[in-house]
């Protein structure tokens, strides 16, 4: 029974991450500004989550106190702005590079945890952070001779970095609200987003083609409502290590689709940089140790090898 439950969790997590990896295509194909896309994401997402929460009986009086509601709304502001920045980054840079830089978020989480929660990062996490920063430099490919012509590209990746930082802020806040059903928190976030973004919507640029409305509805109902439902259900069934490992389906799908749909080509240095970021992010999520091999370690290994050879 336990194995079947975990298998269901793996399937749910894999489906949620696969759907998430397609969001960039839907954003670009909708033809809408980031503000419009996120507004309709919030509207359609709120409708889907409201129906789910009502069906599950998750909405009842006394869920929030004034304090917890304030924290939930702060998390909502952060996650909505995170979407606006990330979707804007897709147009300035590309889905592939924006997604790669966005996945720098675990290291923002380490920094925020140290500042606001008093969590002291281990030497291993610091080591992986340095490795990820090196990967980030490779992805950015900032060369003095090209910097003047790369303004838009650098601007896009800066937006993606900002989005990752805001996601980390949301994660820090949500840690304070563990006793509240995550689906209810998501409903509060998207509902607040719809209200806040209403003044930003360009009503003169709304889609005229039904297919574009389809993309917007899908972003809200599939990439938000369904993805949240699948994700939180999977988290309840799987150990943290499994959810962390499966989360990398999302950037992998996004990068693959960016190549297949838009022909996005990456330089070898950028591929290396993306690999370093993903490796370091996986190591932090899975709590891998980071150990540098020094002269004493090499000498000990050599001595052990010599001893084994002499005994043979």
């Amino acid at each position: 029974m336990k194995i079947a439950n975990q298998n269901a969790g793996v399937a749910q997590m894999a489906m949620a991450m696969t759907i998430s990896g397609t969001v960039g295509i839907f954003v670009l194909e909708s033809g809408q500004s980031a503000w419009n896309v996120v507004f309709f994401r919030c509207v359609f997402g709120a409708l889907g989550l409201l129906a789910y929460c009502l069906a599950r009986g998750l909405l009842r009086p006394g869920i929030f106190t004034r304090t917890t509601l304030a924290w939930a709304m702060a998390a909502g502001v952060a996650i909505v702005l995170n979407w606006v920045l990330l979707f804007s980054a897709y147009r300035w840079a590309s889905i592939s590079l924006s997604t790669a830089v966005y996945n720098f978020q675990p290291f923002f989480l380490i920094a925020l945890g140290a500042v606001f929660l008093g969590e002291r990062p281990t030497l291993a996490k610091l080591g992986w952070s340095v490795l990820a920063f090196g990967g980030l430099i490779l992805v950015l490919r900032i060369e003095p001779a090209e910097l003047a012509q790369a303004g838009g590209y650098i601007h896009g990746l800066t937006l993606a970095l900002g989005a990752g930082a805001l996601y980390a802020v949301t994660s820090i806040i949500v840690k304070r609200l563990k006793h509240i059903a995550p689906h209810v928190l998501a409903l509060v976030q998207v509902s607040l987003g719809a209200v806040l973004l209403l003044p930003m919507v360009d009503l003169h640029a709304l889609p005229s083609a039904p297919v574009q409305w389809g993309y917007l509805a899908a972003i809200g109902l599939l990439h938000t409502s369904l993805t949240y439902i699948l994700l939180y259900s999977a988290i309840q069934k799987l150990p943290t290590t499994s959810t962390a490992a499966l989360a990398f389906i999302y950037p992998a799908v996004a990068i693959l689709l960016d190549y297949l749909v838009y022909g996005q080509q990456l330089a070898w240095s950028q591929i290396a940089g993306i690999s370093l970021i993903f490796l370091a992010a996986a190591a932090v999520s899975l709590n891998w140790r980071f150990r540098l091999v020094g002269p004493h370690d090499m000498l000990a290994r050599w001595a052990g090898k010599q001893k084994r050879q002499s005994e043979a």
Side-chain angles (χ1 to χ4, degrees):
M1 184 67 179
K2 184 177 179 181
I3 294 177
N5 202 39
Q6 287 195 353
N7 288 339
V10 168
Q12 289 171 333
M13 186 72 182
M15 186 179 298
M17 293 299 97
T18 301
I19 294 172
S20 296
T22 67
V23 70
I25 304 294
F26 283 70
V27 169
L28 295 181
E29 293 301 316
S30 74
Q32 294 291 292
S33 69
W35 296 102
N36 280 21
V37 171
V38 177
F39 171 74
F40 286 108
R41 177 178 196 169
C42 290
V43 170
F44 288 114
L47 292 174
L49 286 169
L50 178 61
Y52 179 82
C53 289
L54 288 173
R56 295 293 302 272
L58 297 175
L59 299 179
R60 59 186 185 277
I63 297 177
F64 293 99
T65 64
R66 288 185 179 181
T67 301
T68 56
L69 181 59
W71 279 117
M73 294 177 73
V77 172
I79 196 67
V80 168
L81 290 177
N82 148 77
W83 290 336
V84 171
L85 293 184
L86 181 61
F87 293 170
S88 298
Y90 291 156
R91 290 183 168 85
W92 285 97
S94 68
I95 294 173
S96 297
L97 296 180
S98 298
T99 301
V101 172
Y102 182 67
N103 275 269
F104 199 75
Q105 59 190 251
F107 308 101
F108 288 121
L109 193 57
I110 291 172
L112 291 174
V115 173
F116 295 104
L117 301 180
E119 298 176 348
R120 296 182 60 183
T122 63
L123 288 176
K125 286 185 176 180
L126 290 175
W128 291 117
S129 299
V130 171
L131 185 67
F133 185 75
L136 180 62
I137 296 300
L138 289 174
V139 169
L140 294 177
R141 294 184 71 200
I142 300 176
E143 300 176 10
E146 300 178 2
L147 192 58
Q149 289 78 28
Y153 157 77
I154 298 299
H155 178 65
L157 297 187
T158 302
L159 291 174
L161 269 180
L166 285 169
Y167 186 87
V169 170
T170 303
S171 300
I172 290 288
I173 294 174
V174 168
K175 281 190 175 185
R176 294 174 170 265
L177 305 171
K178 290 182 179 179
H179 60 289
I180 299 172
H183 305 90
V184 175
L185 286 176
L187 176 59
V188 170
Q189 291 170 357
V190 293
S191 300
L192 177 64
V195 174
L196 293 179
L197 294 179
L198 182 57
M200 309 293 183
V201 177
D202 185 355
L203 298 176
H204 300 290
L206 294 180
S208 56
V211 67
Q212 290 179 304
W213 281 109
Y215 285 124
L216 294 175
I219 292 169
L221 296 175
L222 295 181
H223 297 93
T224 307
S225 302
L226 180 59
T227 297
Y228 272 130
I229 292 166
L230 291 171
L231 178 63
Y232 292 140
S233 180
I235 288 173
Q236 292 173 346
K237 298 181 178 72
L238 297 174
T240 303
T241 51
S242 297
T243 57
L246 290 168
F248 286 91
I249 294 175
Y250 159 46
V253 169
I255 292 171
L256 177 61
L257 286 179
D258 197 22
Y259 171 74
L260 293 177
V261 177
Y262 299 117
Q264 175 63 34
Q265 299 285 342
L266 300 175
W268 283 108
S269 60
Q270 292 175 314
I271 294 174
I274 291 171
S275 301
L276 289 179
I277 291 174
F278 288 175
L279 172 64
V284 167
S285 301
L286 300 174
N287 208 23
W288 293 346
R289 295 180 63 187
F290 187 96
R291 185 181 177 189
L292 296 175
V293 179
H296 295 290
D297 299 296
M298 296 177 66
L299 183 61
R301 290 182 184 180
W302 179 82
K305 183 178 179 181
Q306 294 299 315
K307 183 179 179 181
R308 288 192 297 273
Q309 289 179 346
S310 63
E311 289 174 350

